[in-house]
Amino acid sequence: PTATSTPPPGGGGGEAAWNRTVEMLSDFHKRVEDKGECLLTISVLEAVDPASAKEEFDTLYPINSLRNVAVRNAHSPLIMVVDADFAPSEGFHEFLTSDPVIYASLLHHASASRRVWALVSLELHAGHLPIPSTRAEVAALLPNRSVVVAEAYLNPAAHEPVDIDHWLRADGFADGGGAPLTEDAAFEPFVLGAREALPDYDERFRGYGFDKTAHARHLRSLGFSYWLLPRHFAVARYHHPTPTAVRMFGEDPDMLLRTRMEWLFDQVSSDIDAEGGGYQPLTAASTSRRGAAGAPPSGGEPGP
């Protein structure tokens, strides 16, 4: 399943822009399903119209809402939530599913042992080159940094704890395991896990920053352990950081937005520490415990 956010029909370019978006998504859906390799569900969330938004924060990209919609529309026992601009390596699906013994072991460990497998996530920075589809092609591009670990320039702790040198040599699963990973609190890789075991993403996070970090912290509090997914990867062609990413972590950051997101992450972390396994992320389907999404304490200023 794929989830995307678009401007509402009456805003962000009007009805014509909305119709072009629907036409583009319909064409993409047809091209994917015509290959006969999968069934594709595309969910469209209408973005908040800036003209009617209570505050600018509400108009930021609803990244965790989109992740939750995609997960809820999935049907396979194992899932991996990956940003839409990343392409999986060649043969990824077959690697996971062709051997029923390995697949059963993966599913068992994902559910009973609460394991998640970190996916090596890469960016192609050489714009003239095609996207690599095999590990051998990645290995050839690493020495001159045509390919680098995703977000290494902006948020290196997010994906870099995956040991690339070990990954280049790792070929299979040992009893459905792979290799265990140690990581710091900022480690937030794309992960493969059991759909029914993984918690929701907290939908108060919008735009860029701490959205997956909060989810990863929740996973650790529930006893999940991170393991290396061997051989395969996801790769995206480099693009300039999004406007919200620049506002958060650029050379001249928007300190009001950054402080708000840091406050929100601190609040979620405190809730996780206090409630442990009983913590429930705030989603559109849950009852709000603290007012508006991402809102600081009453008075409009971030908390201590």
Side-chain angles (χ1 to χ4, degrees):
T2 299
T4 185
S5 176
T6 69
E15 196 73 29
W18 171 263
N19 290 336
R20 286 196 300 271
T21 298
V22 172
E23 182 179 353
M24 177 187 67
L25 292 174
S26 298
D27 177 68
F28 174 69
H29 183 273
K30 183 177 186 302
R31 286 188 286 113
V32 170
E33 290 219 332
D34 281 351
K35 293 183 177 181
E37 297 176 354
C38 71
L39 295 176
L40 176 64
T41 300
I42 300 179
S43 302
V44 179
L45 276 67
E46 292 182 11
V48 175
D49 189 342
S52 61
K54 291 182 179 180
E55 55 178 321
E56 189 262 349
F57 184 84
D58 294 337
T59 69
L60 299 181
Y61 196 70
I63 182 62
N64 276 354
S65 297
L66 296 171
R67 288 176 174 135
N68 285 337
V69 168
V71 170
R72 289 166 191 158
N73 280 280
H75 300 287
S76 58
L78 290 175
I79 62 169
M80 187 155 51
V81 184
V82 181
D83 291 354
D85 53 338
F86 281 82
S89 52
E90 183 179 301
F92 198 154
H93 182 266
E94 292 77 9
F95 174 71
L96 294 175
T97 62
S98 60
D99 187 329
V101 174
I102 288 180
Y103 183 80
S105 182
L106 276 172
L107 186 56
H108 168 76
H109 284 298
S111 301
S113 305
R114 294 201 165 186
R115 290 183 183 178
V116 289
W117 288 268
L119 178 64
V120 170
S121 303
L122 305 167
E123 285 179 352
L124 177 67
H125 279 236
H128 63 287
L129 296 176
I131 290 283
S133 61
T134 67
R135 187 171 57 173
E137 292 174 353
V138 169
L141 295 172
L142 284 171
N144 63 4
R145 298 188 63 80
S146 295
V147 162
V148 299
V149 173
E151 298 188 2
Y153 55 93
L154 191 65
N155 185 16
H159 298 280
E160 280 193 340
V162 173
D163 187 339
I164 293 294
D165 290 335
H166 177 78
W167 171 76
L168 289 171
R169 302 187 303 271
D171 285 325
F173 293 99
D175 188 29
L181 293 171
T182 57
E183 78 285 336
D184 60 33
F187 186 49
E188 51 165 31
F190 299 129
V191 294
L192 173 76
R195 174 172 52 85
E196 295 187 354
L198 296 175
D200 286 335
Y201 291 83
D202 195 305
E203 295 178 10
R204 289 174 291 179
F205 291 95
R206 288 174 169 268
Y208 184 92
F210 303 107
D211 42 282
K212 292 207 316 300
T213 311
H215 189 257
R217 187 181 180 97
H218 191 192
L219 287 176
R220 291 190 202 64
S221 77
L222 293 172
F224 283 86
S225 58
Y226 283 83
W227 295 66
L228 177 67
L229 184 69
R231 192 181 306 176
H232 287 276
F233 59 92
V235 58
R237 194 175 291 278
Y238 170 78
H239 58 77
H240 290 294
T242 63
T244 310
V246 173
R247 288 174 62 187
M248 284 288 293
F249 299 110
E251 294 181 358
D252 185 22
D254 180 339
M255 293 309 300
L256 182 61
L257 175 62
R258 185 164 177 172
T259 300
R260 177 172 189 162
M261 296 296 282
E262 289 174 346
W263 171 86
L264 175 57
F265 177 71
D266 288 343
Q267 288 295 304
V268 169
S269 298
S270 296
D271 288 348
I272 291 172
D273 291 342
E275 300 174 31
Y279 167 74
Q280 293 294 325
L282 239 62
T283 69
S286 66
T287 302
S288 174
R289 294 173 295 176
R290 281 179 295 275
S298 59
E301 295 299 326

